[in-house]
Amino acid sequence: MLMNRPLLRPRSHLLPFAAVALSAAGLTAQSVHYEKYVLPNGLTVILHEDHKAPIVAVNSWFKVGAKDEPAGRSGFAHLFEHLMFMGTQRVPNGDFDTIMEAGGGENNASTTEDRTNYFSVGPSSLLPTLLWLDADRLEDLGRNIDQQKLDRQREVVRNEIRQQVENEPYGRAQRATFALLFPPGHPYRETVYGSHHDLEAATVDDVRDFFATFYVPNNLSLVVAGDFDAAATKARIAALFGDLPRGPEPTRRAVVPTALDRVVRQTQLDRVELPLVRFAWHAPAATQPGTAELDLLAEVLADGKDSRLYRRLVEQEGLAVSVHAYLDELMLGSLFEIDVYAAPGADLDRLEAVVDEELDRLRREPVAAAELERRNLGREVAMLARLQHLAGLADQLNRYQYLYGEPDSFANDLARYRSITPAALAAALQQFLPGDRRAILRVLPLDREALPTNRDVRPAELGANTFRAPMPDELRLQNGLRVLLWPRHDLPLVNVRLAITPPAPLADAQHQGLPALAADLLDEGAAGLDAAAFAQQLEGLGASLSAWADHDGAGASLFTPARHLAAAARRFADAVRRPNNRQADFDRVQKLRLGRLLQAEQDPGSTAARVAIRTLFGDGDPYGWPAGGTLEGVRTATLEQVVRVQRALFAPDHATLLVAGDLTAAQAKAALDAAFGDWEPAGAAIRTILAPLPPALPPAPLRVLLVDRPDAAQTVVHLLAPAPDYQDDGRLRRQALSSLLGGSFTSRLNQNLRERHGFTYGAYAGFQAGPRRSSFVAGASVETPVTGAALREFLAEFARLRAPTGGDITAAELAKAQATLRRGIAEDYTTLGGLLGSAATYMENGLPPQQIDHDLAALAGVTVAALNDHARADLDLDHGVLVLVGDARQIQEQLAGLDLPAPTVVPAKAAPR
């Protein structure tokens, strides 16, 4: 699935899943309440009310994807998705995003082989505007496309291909896979991105014809979900969409029969550190018999530490660092794929043999019914978790409408999985995954005039609903351990988060990643159970856990069905308090982290970030090094060192338990007392793993560092500058500044570098505030031949804001930033994880969860004058570091005439002392 624009905030999309009985507002057993109707012009409308937060989501699915592109116009559906934001007569180019973001909304779009969807989220007061914007472009966009708009977005898409395919490790593998499996002329032969050649050949007439064919009401389903009045919304939809003319039913391309009669192979050389071996088979079309079995089979093979391929390839034989299996459900025929990322030096022939051995074993020895039950329980819990996300729920209603013609197909989808028996799973494996008819790919390292309508005037926004963040109840366990509880009874789920906030940075003088390794070991088995058995116990409860550590502390998280809280909390305590810490587990965890570090070293964005922090903060500062360690350091780490850190760090001394979900205070205390009530402090041991924070380096003039990647298609531009810490009074002012500069699609950097010039797929900026070291970061990945021109525009945007007489920020920009940030804060509190994550961030920075009220007030109090007066100081570029990663020869030729210091060429693993 391809996104139209880079995601500037995390976003959750629902994948195919099964539903379960839900005891939640607006939800009934295996059912989601909705209203569906069809306008006379064929437009399908689906409404779902949810008044939990003052948020609405609008989700549109058009039944057009890459499979519907004319011959010689590959990539056209995705290109058109971009063009849908290029403006109409009522909403000229650029105003679509400006209007939406000014009201606190955001939007995006995605394209697959089968459909294109457009989705927006915003305050409920913005709903009239969201609907008006969509109705306006559905009517008028095709007539307003011109050559300039086409050329601009074509270049953006080609930059996206360069960034996501040509300059991305393993980026070319998907195109090769489709070419191996689908013959010339098949609608799936080309990937969604298409080719540069076909994109360059697209004409304005092509665009207009494509719009007229597929962007018609009868090819669209529209979902509105969230906090709205149904009667008013139905009237508004009728007024805005009802008189749009119905179009002819689109003619679809003929499907060429396709099947493999042998094994087909291909080998690619790419700039990667670890070999990839991909196995791919044809599979039944989406939702057809066999797809549920194959989807479940993918989990059995490669999901979790107790999965067949993980145990053999990663744990037992050490041939791989990771393995993934998945069913890519497509309407004309799906694909089943297994991806194995090999360990350095692994025998790939042996790796292939092991995969085949495990597939043969599953054919002979069917999966136990208990394992299928565990897997289905995990699927149900995942569905519940995803239902928390309004945008995701809206998308799933549209997906079910597309697949089944019925938005409330949760029970139908679940039944596909519940009916699977071990014998049916084995039969699907035998039928659909033959060893003699498949593709194997290896990726190896490389050294009009319009009559008046209801859409002519933008509607007034509704009155804004006030957001009040929920405040926690405070409890104490029998050992004094503090617990903060947010009861929430809309879904039968509970999230428990252990937040550990020591008073000083964690020590890691040799960059061994000891705290991170200590966290990694927590889910490798506990209380005498090995990793697979421990994982099975969690799966049997429908629970999952994770753990982490960085410079400022550590944490762990448990996600569980509420009915299993007591048992899941005991397993959570086992992981945190009684990990096995066996040598074999440590060896595997260490090897996996080294594999991830190897992959990160090949990623140009990661390289730029490493060089920048080391240069800005210095070798002697813990924040100058990655929290996960370096390759050289992690290799020297020992189990003894890691256990010492783990026992001192994962202790109650500086810990708080944060809990949110479907439980009462009494239930929380009972479950957590049983699990953690006798947890004893580490005492003085914590001091042995803390590092004194050295004085910050004296401010140094702007430095430009160049990391050479010969023949790179893009240059990574990464700017890092010092910034005040989290508790500084100006934090919300700086957040507003970074939002308007580089935190949304209509931000200054993105509009300049992407929309006006087509230099990049996306640009960004933001403040990374912490308790002890903080920074401002901005950047983009730009096409190599325009590196100099992109840098000139990049610097010009900062010069506007940092003018000696003050910046040029407008009231409209501030209002947009404030609305965007307010909506983001409210959206964080719609999920259990988001709520606890927000509270943990405050605690890590020495602030109480009640700080949210102060922050909302501070955000409302930011003024244009304050932004402009402080912009120069807030953006301290004079003492920053600019890192460029790309083809050094081509970059250096383009730096002349820019007001920048002479660049210093540095290795990817180093920085100037």
Side-chain angles (χ1 to χ4, degrees), residues 521-642:
L521 273 175
L522 295 187
D523 68 347
E524 292 295 326
L529 296 173
D530 64 20
F534 189 74
Q536 288 176 2
Q537 286 216 353
L538 287 172
E539 289 173 2
L541 298 171
S544 61
L545 68 84
S546 58
W548 59 89
D550 58 21
H551 297 301
D552 295 312
S557 177
L558 171 71
F559 198 82
T560 179
R563 67 183 184 273
H564 293 160
L565 174 61
R570 290 194 295 270
R571 298 289 80 79
F572 188 42
D574 285 339
V576 173
R577 301 176 57 189
R578 293 173 286 274
N580 290 337
N581 293 330
R582 295 168 178 167
Q583 185 66 51
D585 296 328
F586 171 74
D587 292 343
R588 181 175 61 255
V589 163
Q590 184 182 41
K591 183 177 180 180
L592 293 175
R593 181 160 290 276
L594 288 169
R596 290 194 294 270
L597 290 172
L598 272 171
Q599 290 179 295
E601 286 211 345
Q602 195 59 35
D603 180 73
S606 298
T607 298
R610 288 196 308 271
V611 172
I613 62 168
R614 188 170 171 189
T615 306
L616 184 66
F617 296 124
D619 281 358
D621 193 308
Y623 295 89
W625 297 87
T630 65
L631 278 169
E632 295 78 6
V634 172
R635 287 192 182 106
T636 67
T638 67
L639 177 60
E640 181 181 5
Q641 291 175 306
V642 171

Side-chain angles (χ1 to χ4, degrees), residues 41 44 131 222 329 411 454 507-508 540 549 656 691 726 733 810 865:
N41 59 8
T44 299
L131 292 171
L222 173 72
E329 286 199 82
N454 291 309
D508 192 22
T656 303
Y726 194 91
R733 182 189 68 240
T810 67

Side-chain angles (χ1 to χ4, degrees), residues 79 117 136 187 273 411 475 584-585 632 807 851:
L79 171 64
N117 78 327
D136 172 64
E273 288 288 342
L475 315 172
D585 296 328
E632 295 78 6
Q851 179 71 22

Side-chain angles (χ1 to χ4, degrees), residues 21-189:
L22 308 175
S23 57
L27 304 176
T28 58
Q30 299 179 3
S31 176
V32 172
H33 172 74
Y34 74 95
E35 180 178 1
K36 171 185 163 183
Y37 59 97
V38 180
L39 297 181
N41 59 8
L43 172 63
T44 299
V45 181
I46 302 163
L47 305 180
H48 169 74
E49 291 186 64
D50 181 346
H51 302 287
K52 183 164 53 183
I55 306 292
V56 291
V58 176
N59 187 289
S60 300
W61 274 46
F62 288 91
K63 291 181 283 187
V64 56
K67 66 178 174 59
D68 301 299
E69 293 161 348
R73 292 296 182 266
S74 66
F76 204 78
H78 178 228
L79 171 64
F80 195 84
E81 174 210 314
H82 282 251
L83 290 168
M84 278 289 280
F85 296 87
M86 291 306 291
T88 65
Q89 184 175 353
R90 301 181 188 97
V91 186
N93 182 32
D95 285 1
F96 186 98
D97 295 291
T98 301
I99 291 171
M100 185 175 294
E101 293 187 3
E106 68 173 350
N107 69 88
N108 214 319
S110 69
T111 306
T112 70
E113 290 81 3
D114 298 320
R115 96 297 179 269
T116 308
N117 78 327
Y118 302 85
F119 45 96
S120 56
V121 180
S124 50
S125 58
L126 195 62
L127 179 57
T129 296
L130 300 181
L131 292 171
W132 173 69
L133 287 168
D134 277 356
D136 172 64
R137 65 178 175 179
L138 180 57
E139 177 194 34
D140 207 33
L141 186 130
R143 294 188 296 269
N144 284 273
I145 290 294
D146 56 28
Q147 191 67 48
Q148 183 181 17
K149 293 177 181 179
L150 173 59
D151 291 343
R152 185 183 307 161
Q153 287 306 308
R154 172 163 44 208
E155 195 54 35
V156 168
V157 169
R158 296 185 65 203
N159 266 325
E160 186 177 351
I161 295 173
R162 296 180 185 106
Q163 180 172 332
Q164 306 285 27
V165 178
E166 298 168 358
N167 206 42
E168 177 76 11
Y170 313 103
R172 298 185 295 123
Q174 193 69 359
R175 175 169 289 167
T177 304
F178 275 61
L180 286 170
L181 287 164
F182 297 108
H186 192 282
Y188 291 156
R189 172 71 175 192

Side-chain angles (χ1 to χ4, degrees), residues 291-576:
T291 53
E293 288 83 353
L294 290 174
D295 197 15
L296 192 54
L297 179 62
E299 294 186 16
V300 170
L301 285 170
D303 183 20
K305 293 183 173 63
D306 63 334
S307 62
R308 305 305 196 270
L309 294 178
Y310 184 91
R311 288 205 304 261
R312 278 292 305 275
L313 292 168
V314 179
E315 290 188 351
Q316 296 175 13
E317 301 205 16
L319 290 167
V321 300
S322 65
V323 57
H324 312 274
Y326 50 93
L327 177 69
D328 185 4
E329 286 199 82
L330 302 171
M331 297 301 291
L332 302 181
S334 305
L335 298 180
F336 186 92
E337 300 180 21
I338 299 172
D339 285 352
V340 184
Y341 292 88
D347 183 338
L348 300 187
D349 291 336
R350 174 59 185 162
L351 184 153
E352 288 190 18
V354 168
V355 171
D356 285 340
E357 289 171 11
E358 290 303 314
L359 292 175
D360 287 341
R361 191 190 310 277
L362 275 173
R363 294 184 181 101
R364 301 190 312 270
E365 304 170 9
V367 177
E371 180 174 355
L372 293 186
E373 180 63 28
R374 288 200 312 272
R375 296 288 179 181
N376 274 329
L377 178 58
R379 179 181 301 275
E380 295 176 11
V381 171
M383 184 280 298
L384 281 171
R386 292 166 183 151
L387 284 179
Q388 300 177 96
H389 299 272
L390 187 63
L393 176 57
D395 197 57
Q396 188 63 15
L397 290 170
N398 240 337
R399 180 179 182 274
Y400 281 150
Q401 171 63 27
Y402 180 67
L403 294 175
Y404 300 112
E406 169 53 63
D408 183 20
S409 290
F410 296 92
N412 180 51
D413 207 8
L414 176 58
R416 298 169 57 216
Y417 294 88
R418 285 180 170 168
S419 64
I420 297 173
T421 64
L425 201 69
L429 172 58
Q430 183 70 30
Q431 179 179 356
F432 299 118
L433 306 185
D436 58 351
R437 299 188 303 279
R438 61 184 176 180
I440 301 177
L441 173 68
R442 292 185 179 185
V443 181
L444 305 182
L446 173 71
D447 266 85
R448 149 187 114 164
E449 179 180 351
L451 298 175
T453 75
N454 291 309
R455 293 171 295 278
D456 291 336
V457 179
R458 176 186 172 185
E461 294 184 11
L462 303 176
N465 292 344
T466 301
F467 172 70
R468 298 285 301 187
M471 291 296 110
D473 301 325
E474 183 166 340
L475 315 172
R476 293 281 177 175
L477 301 186
Q478 59 193 25
N479 61 351
L481 181 59
R482 183 185 184 211
V483 178
L484 297 180
L485 170 66
W486 289 262
R488 177 175 285 182
H489 303 294
D490 53 341
L491 292 170
L493 299 169
V494 174
N495 192 186
V496 182
R497 179 169 178 146
L498 175 67
I500 299 172
T501 55
L506 297 177
D508 192 22
Q510 303 305 313
H511 322 304
Q512 296 170 290
L514 299 178
L517 287 167
D520 288 347
L521 273 175
L522 295 187
D523 68 347
E524 292 295 326
L529 296 173
D530 64 20
F534 189 74
Q536 288 176 2
Q537 286 216 353
L538 287 172
E539 289 173 2
L541 298 171
S544 61
L545 68 84
S546 58
W548 59 89
D550 58 21
H551 297 301
D552 295 312
S557 177
L558 171 71
F559 198 82
T560 179
R563 67 183 184 273
H564 293 160
L565 174 61
R570 290 194 295 270
R571 298 289 80 79
F572 188 42
D574 285 339
V576 173

